Amino acid sequence: MRFNIHSQPEFFKEVVKRVNHHFKSHNRSKYGNAQMVIKTIFMLCLYFIPLAFIIFNVVTSVWGNIAMWALMGLGMSGIGLSVMHDANHGAYSGNRKINHLVGLVINFVGGYHVNWKIQHNVLHHSFTNIQGLDDDISKNGALRLSPDQEKKPSYKYQVFYAPFLYSILSLYWFLGKDIEQTIKYGKENLVQEQGITIQRAAIEIFFTKLGYLGLFIVLPIAFSTVAWWQTLLGFLLMHAICGQLLALIFQCAHVLEETDFFVPSETGSMENSWAVHQMKTTANFANGSKWFSWFVGGLNYQIEHHLFPHICHVHYKDIAGIVKSTAKEYNVPYNEHRTFFGALKSHFSILHKLGVGAI
């Protein structure tokens, strides 16, 4: 598949030039800083300290146990949004070994770093909202997320059952998604392109999943004084919170009424250049909320992230004005919602229209 290199190529050249000038003139690195390290420590503590409280019986009441799992759900989503995401993009540090090491934390939240890089870095960032190529919208038989997907009566009520599916996102990730992806990506030679064999990937997935199961299920059941079923319910609560947050943050960046969806032509070509394509398929939201932006890893600045995935998210706020003004200058769309609620409304609105076949 080929993007149209003749479609406003000057836009991306200019925005890259201006962003580079910003970092050079302020003598700043494009990678993480002390703020990023502090956030990493905070998110890891939010995830692992409640687990320790459960295992060592610091908290023994039913409601206290529920609160610990809920905090772990926030920590789990925080790690996914704010820590491992930058690392696996190579944006956390200028040192590749540090990026790799920090990126491995995804294995402690139930995922597998190799498959994540393929789905997110290779497919989603390269082919955003392109039917059949972007797995974020294409590999989902339970929901219709693009006008180019087949209309089915079963999608009629997807606006109502989608939140439930979102809540089991990370649980599905842990239980079956990595196995399915390894088989699929292996057939497409995508796993091998990451410098790893299918056999090694299978072994790594087996042991990381086994370790995750032992740490978050076996140890709490074995050492906590609460009933085993309360531990399982807490585990499900953690995943429900994490899955819901991860899904909504990413869906509100691409599956909106304002964003466009595409299919390649018969010759495999696209009408826009890669950068313009990203602008048409991506949206920002709630950029005025510092706390929200901090927690979600700057992914409410999704436009800046898609244009500059190798820049750490702590800098997105500073370069957003540059990107927005350049887009306006070159008559390129810059989709944004003032609030997260506005983005949610747009997402569920298009979800309803896609479900009933209105589009």
Side-chain angles (χ1 to χ4, degrees):
M1 198 209 72
R2 302 177 303 277
F3 285 99
N4 184 359
I5 61 174
H6 302 294
S7 172
Q8 297 177 284
E10 64 281 355
F11 161 69
F12 192 49
K13 291 179 181 178
E14 186 62 28
V15 78
V16 168
K17 175 184 175 182
R18 293 177 182 181
V19 167
N20 285 339
H21 175 73
H22 165 80
F23 284 100
K24 185 176 181 180
S25 63
H26 289 83
N27 193 27
R28 292 177 183 172
S29 167
K30 295 180 181 180
Y31 300 106
N33 49 25
Q35 176 188 341
M36 190 64 186
V37 175
I38 292 172
K39 179 185 288 191
T40 301
I41 295 171
F42 176 84
M43 293 302 180
L44 291 174
C45 288
L46 187 61
Y47 188 49
F48 287 108
I49 289 180
L51 176 64
F53 280 9
I54 292 172
I55 294 175
F56 294 106
N57 290 295
V58 176
V59 175
T60 57
S61 68
V62 174
W63 288 109
N65 186 66
I66 291 175
M68 292 301 100
W69 285 105
L71 286 175
M72 289 163 64
L74 293 175
M76 185 179 180
S77 57
I79 288 172
L81 295 167
S82 298
V83 180
M84 77 85 184
H85 185 263
D86 284 81
N88 283 316
H89 268 297
Y92 189 96
S93 168
N95 188 313
R96 294 181 63 183
K97 292 183 179 179
I98 292 178
N99 283 321
H100 176 69
L101 182 64
V102 177
L104 290 176
V105 76
I106 187 178
N107 298 313
F108 288 93
V109 296
Y112 180 53
H113 62 288
V114 174
N115 284 339
W116 188 91
K117 286 181 179 179
I118 295 172
Q119 177 181 338
H120 189 76
N121 293 3
V122 178
L123 300 179
H124 172 64
H125 271 266
S126 299
F127 313 115
T128 312
N129 280 13
I130 299 178
Q131 174 59 26
L133 294 175
D134 182 359
D135 267 8
D136 281 14
I137 62 168
S138 301
K139 192 66 172 68
N140 195 326
L143 294 172
R144 184 170 182 254
L145 299 176
S146 165
D148 303 303
Q149 293 170 355
E150 182 183 359
K151 298 178 182 180
K152 296 179 181 179
S154 58
Y155 296 136
K156 184 177 181 180
Y157 300 105
Q158 69 175 11
V159 71
F160 299 107
Y161 66 74
F164 169 74
L165 294 181
Y166 293 165
S167 69
I168 63 173
L169 171 71
S170 61
L171 187 64
Y172 162 59
W173 190 12
F174 163 59
L175 293 174
K177 184 177 180 179
D178 280 317
I179 297 173
E180 293 176 8
Q181 287 187 326
T182 301
I183 295 173
K184 177 180 181 291
Y185 295 156
K187 292 178 179 178
E188 297 170 351
N189 208 43
L190 294 172
V191 174
Q192 297 87 329
E193 289 177 358
Q194 296 295 312
I196 185 172
T197 64
I198 299 297
Q199 292 77 12
R200 179 182 168 184
I203 292 172
E204 289 183 349
I205 289 173
F206 176 78
F207 283 105
T208 55
K209 302 291 184 183
L210 188 65
Y212 179 79
L213 187 66
L215 187 59
F216 289 91
I217 294 291
V218 177
L219 289 182
I221 289 178
F223 293 100
S224 176
T225 57
V226 303
W228 65 269
W229 57 269
Q230 292 178 9
T231 294
L232 291 182
L233 288 178
F235 180 78
L236 293 176
L237 173 64
M238 175 185 73
H239 274 281
I241 292 173
C242 178
Q244 197 72 227
L245 288 172
L246 291 179
L248 291 178
I249 293 301
F250 285 104
Q251 294 288 49
C252 285
H254 299 291
V255 185
L256 300 172
E257 292 182 300
E258 297 78 13
T259 54
D260 292 336
F261 300 83
F262 295 91
V263 290
S265 68
E266 293 182 359
T267 59
S269 60
M270 300 297 296
E271 62 182 274
N272 301 299
S273 65
W274 174 83
V276 173
H277 177 88
Q278 297 302 320
M279 300 297 287
K280 290 188 173 185
T281 57
T282 309
N284 286 2
F285 49 90
N287 290 164
S289 176
K290 292 183 179 180
W291 180 88
F292 182 78
S293 182
W294 181 87
F295 181 78
V296 303
L299 294 181
N300 54 328
Y301 289 94
Q302 194 75 199
I303 292 173
E304 287 67 34
H305 171 60
H306 267 254
L307 290 182
F308 302 100
H310 299 302
I311 293 179
C312 185
H313 76 262
V314 296
H315 304 296
Y316 291 162
K317 183 175 185 291
D318 295 331
I319 67 173
I322 298 173
V323 176
K324 185 175 182 178
S325 62
T326 307
K328 183 178 180 180
E329 183 178 335
Y330 285 88
N331 197 30
V332 173
Y334 188 93
N335 303 310
E336 59 181 338
H337 280 275
R338 188 174 62 84
T339 65
F340 183 43
F341 177 78
L344 284 173
K345 183 179 178 181
S346 179
H347 170 61
F348 281 100
S349 177
I350 194 174
L351 204 61
H352 169 67
K353 292 176 182 177
L354 287 168
V356 299
I359 54 176

